[in-house]
């Protein structure tokens, strides 16, 4: 363990002599990169008003000054004395700053005392053992509902600076995901806490300026973990990726819905619904529950809009990003994110679009209020979603909804939530008849491609999907399951 710390000390002594930005970033283009990436990184953070921030690996204060202008207090910590001194010179005039020279592996911070921990390139300088220990500590330092933001170089190095030796650990995204999803804090009162992903995305600046997709950011929230876990999984995200949307499951859905799609009607309903929006080149679209990105590529290609696709399923976003490489559309970006927690400034988007996703979300009114604030005046909301008929439901439908963890309302109730959130011109259309027709068409197509489907997956997969579609048809014909289309405007 000591050897790791000694190596890191030697490495940073070598790269901190002049305490310049180029040294700290290990890159000759440091200034140009900073100009573009600083606003990008800061845009991922929640509002810092009233926040106590702990900045770990603060370096010479590239981010410190920006954090100080928004937060109540910032404690900036770094390993190297020369970096801390430089940061103090730059930012010491702020009355809400504290500067500490310390090794984060030995740092002590009071429990539940921090609102946001911010670190930009730090964890890769720790061994796995040190990192696991630090993640546990960071979880305890944060208050419940507090946030951890970190950004790391994954897979391989990113800077162009010459290094005689390099003790850095370039972990994969999956390694970080595993470390953060498995850590649990047990409090004295018996309450457990863990991290939920608010967002995970690649730094676009590095993709555009260096063709480097290996700079990854995470924003996590400290949340209670109940003993009544999601079908045996710690988080809803793990449930989605391991149960409902495994890679194989996603590709089976795609085979039914059409290339690029995992929602009802695939390209045909997408074209029909997107036409209602009258999109214009340069408009910004947010796709909530983007799946594997087919609709996003369609909107960008056909109308010249910029699209940000969010999905909580890591598997969905991985496939979407693979497809994006082939599509070569820089105007479409994807991120793993929880739409109920992801922060966006007011008036960011012209359109918010969502297909068969919000059925997973409990507090729909709160989400629609977020949507309302994220839209520009005159912005449009377009949603298709699973709905239900009036209760009582059949026992089969009750069991299905419970097994899937869906939260369903009638199309009329759904429309009321959208109105309550502040939208006007709300169209709440019961499209169940269309849903039934689409399912029948998809079943016919499945029959036509049966051999191909079985060859690509298996006979078991084929019948699992076809029977699932037939059950969907039964639920819709009985009146239990409905399908709604919702279109509304922000004044």
């Amino acid at each position: 363990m000591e050897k790791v710390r000694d190596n890191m000390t030697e490495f940073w002594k070598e790269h901190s002599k002049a305490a310049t930005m180029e040294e700290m970033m290990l890159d000759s283009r440091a200034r140009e990169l900073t100009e573009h990436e600083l606003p990008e990184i800061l845009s991922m953070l929640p509002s810092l008003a009233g926040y106590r921030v702990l900045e770990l690996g603060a370096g010479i204060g590239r981010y410190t000054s920006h954090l100080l202008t928004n937060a109540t207090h910032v404690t900036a910590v770094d390993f190297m004395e020369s970096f801390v001194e430089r940061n103090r010179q730059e930012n010491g005039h702020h009355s809400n700053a504290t500067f500490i020279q310390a090794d984060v592996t030995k740092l002590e911070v009071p429990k539940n005392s921090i609102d946001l921990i911010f670190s930009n390139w730090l964890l890769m300088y720790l061994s796995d053992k040190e990192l696991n220990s630090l993640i546990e500590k960071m979880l305890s330092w944060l208050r419940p509902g507090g946030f951890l933001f970190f950004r790391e170089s994954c897979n391989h190095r990113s800077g162009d600076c010459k290094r005689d030796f390099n003790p850095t650990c370039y972990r994969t995204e999956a390694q970080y995901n595993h470390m953060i999803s498995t850590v649990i804090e047990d409090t004295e009162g018996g309450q457990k806490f863990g991290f939920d992903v608010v967002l995970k995305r690649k730094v676009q600046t590095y993709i555009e300026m260096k063709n480097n997709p290996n700079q990854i950011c995470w924003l996590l929230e400290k949340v209670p973990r109940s003993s009544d876990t999601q079908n045996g999984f710690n988080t809803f995200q793990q449930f989605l990726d391991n149960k409902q949307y495994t890679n194989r499951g996603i590709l089976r859905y795609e085979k039914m819905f059409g290339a690029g799609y995992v929602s009802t009607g695939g390209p045909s309903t997408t074209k029909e619904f997107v036409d209602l929006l009258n999109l214009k080149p340069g408009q910004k679209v947010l796709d909530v529950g983007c799946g594997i990105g087919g609709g996003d590529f369609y909107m960008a290609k056909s109308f010249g809009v910029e699209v940000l696709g969010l999905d909580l399923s890591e598997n969905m976003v991985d496939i979407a990003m693979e497809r994006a490489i082939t599509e070569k559309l820089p105007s479409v970006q994807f991120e793993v994110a929880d739409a109920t927690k992801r922060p966006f400034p007011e008036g960011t988007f012209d359109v918010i679009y969502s297909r068969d996703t919000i059925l997973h979300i409990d507090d729909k009114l709160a989400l629609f209020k977020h949507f309302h604030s994220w839209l520009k005046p005159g912005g449009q909301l377009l949603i298709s979603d699973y709905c239900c008929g009036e209760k009582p439901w059949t026992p089969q439908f009750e069991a299905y909804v419970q097994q899937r963890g869906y939260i369903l309302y009638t199309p009329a109730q759904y429309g009321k939530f959208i109105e309550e959130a502040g939208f006007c011109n709300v169209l709440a259309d019961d499209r169940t008849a269309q849903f039934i027709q689409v399912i029948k068409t998809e079943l016919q197509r499945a029959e036509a491609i049966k051999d191909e489907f079985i060859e690509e997956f298996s006979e078991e997969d084929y019948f699992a999907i076809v029977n699932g579609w037939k059950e969907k048809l039964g639920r819709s014909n009985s009146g239990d399951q409905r399908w709604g289309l919702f279109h509304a405007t922000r004044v």
Side-chain angles (χ1 to χ4, degrees):
M1 198 75 129
E2 284 306 315
K3 177 109 174 67
V4 176
R5 303 311 315 134
D6 292 347
N7 279 344
M8 288 302 172
T9 309
E10 282 312 306
F11 179 75
W12 279 109
K13 272 185 182 160
E14 177 63 34
H15 296 286
S16 63
K17 287 173 180 161
T20 63
M21 199 178 286
E22 286 74 11
E23 268 194 321
M24 190 185 67
M25 287 178 68
L26 303 169
D27 202 299
S28 60
R29 294 175 70 188
R31 279 163 209 285
E32 187 191 354
L33 286 163
T34 293
E35 191 186 324
H36 291 90
E37 80 159 27
L38 246 163
E40 183 185 352
I41 299 286
L42 293 168
S43 75
M44 297 182 212
L45 301 180
S47 163
L48 301 182
Y51 270 28
R52 295 151 301 173
V53 175
L54 175 63
E55 186 187 8
L56 301 179
I60 61 172
R62 200 161 66 106
Y63 286 94
T64 312
S65 57
H66 298 272
L67 298 171
L68 281 165
T69 54
N70 296 306
T72 299
H73 190 273
V74 177
T75 303
V77 180
D78 201 87
F79 192 37
M80 302 312 297
E81 191 63 58
S82 61
F83 284 171
V84 176
E85 277 317 307
R86 175 77 192 277
N87 196 357
R88 192 182 274 116
Q89 283 164 22
E90 296 286 325
N91 294 303
H93 61 284
H94 289 274
S95 58
N96 58 333
T98 305
F99 302 91
I100 299 175
Q101 191 262 323
D103 179 337
V104 292
T105 63
K106 300 184 174 71
L107 190 64
E108 294 300 328
V109 175
K111 278 185 166 221
N112 301 333
S113 66
I114 303 293
D115 299 297
L116 171 80
I117 297 173
F118 178 91
S119 101
N120 185 76
W121 289 320
L122 167 72
L123 309 185
M124 57 188 182
Y125 300 116
L126 305 177
S127 69
D128 285 353
K129 194 172 174 187
E130 289 168 339
L131 178 51
N132 278 317
S133 162
L134 179 63
I135 293 173
E136 281 175 22
K137 283 187 192 170
M138 291 194 293
L139 184 60
S140 75
W141 297 343
L142 286 167
R143 62 158 171 88
F147 296 95
L148 167 62
F149 175 91
F150 68 94
R151 176 268 191 97
E152 295 299 326
S153 301
C154 293
N155 307 314
H156 54 70
R157 66 180 249 188
S158 292
D160 60 8
C161 162
K162 180 177 180 299
R163 297 162 221 194
D164 296 325
F165 84 113
N166 188 0
T168 314
C169 308
Y170 298 109
R171 296 180 180 89
T172 63
E173 286 174 58
Q175 286 172 303
Y176 284 116
N177 289 342
H178 178 71
M179 285 173 165
I180 57 190
S181 64
T182 50
V183 66
I184 297 284
E185 179 195 15
D186 275 312
T187 65
E188 279 138 28
Q191 172 71 69
K192 290 181 160 59
F193 287 93
F195 282 122
D196 268 6
V197 174
V198 176
L199 72 89
K200 189 196 87 177
R201 66 177 299 178
K202 296 174 188 289
V203 178
Q204 203 58 25
T205 299
Y206 270 69
I207 294 175
E208 285 168 15
M209 292 176 65
K210 296 180 73 115
N211 194 23
N212 177 347
N214 296 293
Q215 291 293 317
I216 317 288
C217 299
W218 282 260
L219 178 65
L220 312 167
E221 184 183 10
K222 176 176 175 173
V223 296
R225 286 267 179 269
S226 66
S227 48
D228 172 28
T229 53
Q230 187 81 38
N231 294 21
F233 296 102
N234 276 340
T235 67
F236 183 51
Q237 184 189 38
Q238 287 176 335
F239 164 69
L240 289 179
D241 280 333
N242 293 285
K243 189 94 176 163
Q244 197 156 359
Y245 301 128
T246 61
N247 273 346
R248 188 183 189 84
I250 292 168
L251 298 174
R252 283 188 339 188
Y253 280 144
E254 182 186 26
K255 198 77 181 164
M256 286 296 276
F257 290 127
Y261 294 90
V262 286
S263 61
T264 303
S268 64
T269 53
T270 298
K271 185 177 184 326
E272 179 193 343
F273 297 168
V274 167
D275 279 351
L276 299 171
L277 293 166
N278 196 15
L279 294 172
K280 302 280 188 294
Q283 285 187 320
K284 289 187 162 57
V285 178
L286 176 69
D287 182 0
V288 175
C290 62
I292 56 176
D296 304 328
F297 300 133
Y298 169 74
M299 286 187 270
K301 276 182 192 162
S302 307
F303 303 98
V305 293
E306 292 176 26
V307 189
L308 173 59
L310 308 185
D311 207 295
L312 187 56
S313 161
E314 186 102 33
N315 295 340
M316 289 280 195
V317 173
D318 284 347
I319 295 172
M321 284 177 154
E322 273 172 34
R323 305 284 170 87
I325 293 166
T326 325
E327 295 284 353
K328 293 189 172 58
L329 282 168
S331 57
V332 180
Q333 292 179 32
F334 297 101
E335 67 179 52
V336 175
D338 182 337
T340 65
K341 297 176 177 180
R342 169 74 163 95
F344 287 108
E346 180 139 353
T348 302
F349 300 101
D350 298 285
V351 170
I352 295 178
Y353 174 88
S354 180
R355 299 294 309 279
D356 303 357
T357 292
I358 295 167
L359 46 89
H360 290 295
I361 290 167
D362 193 357
D363 193 342
K364 299 191 198 312
L365 178 58
L367 181 69
F368 296 155
K369 284 179 174 170
H370 284 312
F371 287 175
H372 190 268
S373 82
W374 299 344
L375 281 169
K376 296 172 184 173
Q380 298 178 83
L381 175 67
L382 185 86
I383 297 171
S384 76
D385 212 0
Y386 281 26
C387 295
C388 61
E390 297 288 350
K391 292 190 169 181
W393 298 339
T394 59
Q396 293 90 322
F397 190 64
E398 285 274 8
Y400 160 77
V401 170
Q402 195 176 355
Q403 184 259 326
R404 290 297 179 102
Y406 291 163
I407 299 92
L408 304 181
Y409 293 93
T410 66
Q413 287 168 321
Y414 205 113
K416 289 262 183 333
F417 284 134
I418 295 173
E419 266 170 16
E420 254 181 273
F423 285 94
C424 64
N425 309 326
V426 178
L427 165 91
D429 202 357
D430 186 330
R431 290 288 187 108
T432 311
Q434 180 180 9
F435 188 64
I436 289 169
Q437 200 42 60
V438 167
I439 294 168
K440 287 178 176 171
T441 306
E442 285 166 350
L443 279 167
Q444 283 166 353
R445 197 174 70 237
E447 182 61 41
I449 60 165
K450 181 177 178 180
D451 294 345
E452 184 190 323
F453 195 114
I454 290 170
E455 194 177 323
E456 206 168 310
F457 297 97
S458 71
E459 193 166 25
E460 189 187 346
D461 284 307
Y462 176 77
F463 286 110
I465 279 280
V466 166
N467 292 337
W469 255 242
K470 285 178 178 168
E471 284 164 16
K472 217 179 334 188
L473 201 51
R475 290 192 297 268
S476 304
N477 281 324
S478 75
D480 276 337
Q481 186 161 337
R482 319 290 299 170
W483 195 49
L485 178 67
F486 307 94
H487 187 202
T489 314
R490 175 178 175 171
V491 183

